[in-house]
Amino acid sequence: MEITPDTSNYMIAGFAVTFITMGIYIVSLYLRSRNLKQDIETLESMQNEKPKSTK
């Protein structure tokens, strides 16, 4: 009867890689959201400062 190899280290490494990847993705989403909010605020302030032309 063969002995089952111990692969728990590979399982732990796989979980670590998965959680690190998810963490990087979440940080990326947060930064994108923050930058988008800043862009919206900038565009709104530019729109408010723009003089209205009369035609």
Side-chain angles (χ1 to χ4, degrees), residues 22-41:
M22 284 192 299
I24 291 171
Y25 181 67
I26 290 171
V27 169
S28 171
L29 287 176
Y30 169 74
L31 292 175
R32 289 180 187 194
S33 172
R34 189 183 67 180
N35 289 338
L36 183 61
K37 287 178 185 177
Q38 288 175 350
D39 289 347
I40 289 171
E41 289 174 2

Side-chain angles (χ1 to χ4, degrees), residues 38-53:
Q38 288 175 350
D39 289 347
I40 289 171
E41 289 174 2
T42 302
L43 288 172
E44 287 176 347
S45 68
M46 288 172 61
Q47 185 178 16
N48 291 337
E49 292 174 2
K50 183 179 176 183
K52 296 186 179 191
S53 62

